Amino acid sequence: MNLPALVIVLVVCLLAAWAVICGLGAVVLAQKKGHDGATVVMAGCAAAGAALVIGCALLGVIADMA
């Protein structure tokens, strides 16, 4: 699959933004439930990591289908 560099950069930026949004959402939810600081940070990191793994897997599926 031959994609222009700009498309690849945009997809990577979108994936990173999705991970940040998921991580921040998890942080907000953990804070609303009254968890301490370490738990809030771990929840954010876990959600961001999961978003990256899922996003990369979806990206791989889309690349295989193209």
Side-chain angles (χ1 to χ4, degrees), residues 3-52:
L3 291 175
L6 181 62
V7 173
I8 294 171
V9 168
L10 289 175
V11 168
V12 169
C13 289
L14 181 65
L15 186 61
W18 184 44
V20 168
I21 290 169
C22 289
L24 289 176
V27 166
V28 169
L29 287 175
Q31 284 179 340
K32 281 188 177 182
K33 290 190 172 234
H35 293 292
D36 62 340
T39 305
V40 169
V41 170
M42 287 187 289
C45 290
L52 282 175

